[in-house]
Amino acid sequence: MDPFIVDTTLCRKDGICAKVCPVRIIDGEAGAFPSMSPHKARVCIGCGQCMAFCPANACSAPGLSSQENLALRPQELPTAEQTEQLVFSRRSIRNFKKKPVPHELLERILDGARFAPTAKNTQQVRWIVLASREQTEKLAALVVDWLRELPQVDPEAARHAHAESLVRVWETGYDIITRGAPHLALIVAPKGNFGATDAAIAASYLELLAHAHKVGCCWGGYVCIALGHPSAVKLRAFLGIEEHEQAYAAQMMGLAQFAPHFRPPRKALEVTWR
């Protein structure tokens, strides 16, 4: 049985599915029904590219079903100018309202971020979300505890992380680690390979989706620095990060206390055309 299922009553024999397949395992040219041999199906990455670009919704990749395909709504896409404004108006938010983001909205944003691309479509990233201010504060306190011990454990890393300065700020009563955020989303992936890249892309998708829903974000750099050090055992245990995993990105999330009104200048575009 062909592992690549084609509905011959719908297929237009246009060969598009074969052309867009990233691993080139679909046999098919214009004027013929496409197919896939069983031995080729073993290297299918399940990306659904063939299904996405088929205008007739006529094919199902191995392990996927065209019946679960959801039609896109191009009429709802923002204009180029609107998309640019979304990007231009994004700012890192470090002043959050105490009011939490509704759980349903957080879940919707995260659900959208899962469509971020991953290397070879492995989709190995997972999310750890601290859903309350109490939890993010516990995390921040653990990071500070780690910073207190770091000068004795790893003096060089302590200097790079400005450990002593951060502890002093924390002791004044200001949460320099999570900035008072009511939520924090961590992106975790297996160590090595493309985990760091996949997590960074997912975090970027999350940030723009959150901004579109009027939820502010800020990258949790201090959290990631701590989690990247081998001595942060208590921190990893608190979050439930497995030995084979690494938290590569973190986003503090919440409703912004203030809104930007202008776009400050940035460094001029630097590009080399070849």
Side-chain angles (χ1 to χ4, degrees):
M1 182 177 179
D2 193 339
F4 176 74
I5 301 171
V6 177
D7 186 334
T8 56
T9 65
L10 296 175
C11 180
R12 301 178 184 179
K13 301 181 182 179
D14 50 31
I16 292 176
C17 56
K19 292 177 182 177
V20 300
C21 175
V23 286
R24 295 291 184 176
I25 56 174
I26 299 174
D27 300 312
E29 298 179 354
F33 289 123
S35 63
M36 183 188 299
S37 62
H39 77 275
K40 287 184 178 180
R42 288 194 289 269
V43 298
C44 175
I45 62 175
C47 65
Q49 196 83 333
C50 54
M51 297 165 62
F53 283 89
C54 175
N57 196 31
C59 61
S60 297
L64 302 177
S65 171
S66 61
Q67 294 181 359
E68 296 181 22
N69 256 358
L70 296 178
L72 297 175
R73 300 191 293 271
Q75 70 278 6
E76 295 182 16
L77 287 173
T79 65
E81 290 76 14
Q82 289 171 333
T83 304
E84 287 174 349
Q85 283 303 311
L86 179 72
V87 173
F88 295 154
S89 61
R90 185 224 61 85
R91 304 295 300 182
S92 295
I93 301 301
R94 297 179 180 86
N95 303 93
F96 297 98
K97 293 180 180 179
K98 292 184 179 181
K99 179 182 178 181
V101 179
H103 181 82
E104 296 77 13
L105 180 53
L106 282 175
E107 196 165 31
R108 179 174 178 175
I109 293 168
L110 289 162
D111 194 54
R114 69 189 171 93
F115 285 89
T118 57
K120 300 181 181 179
N121 193 45
T122 52
Q123 300 182 53
Q124 292 188 85
V125 297
R126 73 179 183 95
W127 300 83
I128 298 173
V129 179
L130 303 185
S132 68
R133 175 57 196 155
E134 290 74 20
Q135 288 294 87
T136 59
E137 198 166 19
K138 286 179 183 178
L139 174 71
L142 284 170
V143 172
V144 172
D145 288 343
W146 173 79
L147 288 167
R148 285 195 182 99
E149 298 172 0
L150 192 59
Q152 290 74 45
V153 175
D154 190 340
E156 185 66 19
R159 280 192 293 273
H160 283 295
H162 309 291
E164 293 180 357
S165 298
L166 292 174
V167 171
R168 282 198 298 270
V169 173
W170 172 268
E171 289 175 346
T172 67
Y174 178 67
D175 176 10
I176 189 69
I177 306 301
T178 60
R179 307 281 182 165
H183 315 288
L184 188 138
L186 284 147
I187 302 98
V188 179
K191 293 177 181 177
N193 295 324
F194 299 99
T197 301
D198 290 347
I201 296 171
S204 297
Y205 265 56
L206 175 78
E207 187 170 22
L208 287 175
L209 283 164
H211 180 42
H213 285 283
K214 304 188 186 315
V215 174
C217 287
C218 184
W219 288 66
Y222 296 134
V223 174
C224 288
I225 289 172
L227 287 169
H229 197 275
S231 66
V233 178
K234 292 179 182 177
L235 195 54
R236 292 174 62 90
F238 171 72
L239 293 166
I241 298 173
E242 301 292 338
E243 183 61 33
H244 71 283
E245 296 178 316
Q246 180 63 47
Y248 287 108
Q251 287 278 15
M252 296 173 276
M253 302 179 70
L255 301 175
Q257 203 170 10
F258 310 107
H261 299 284
F262 296 94
R263 186 182 77 186
R266 292 189 73 110
K267 178 183 173 183
L269 174 67
E270 185 175 341
V271 57
T272 302
W273 303 98
R274 298 290 189 186

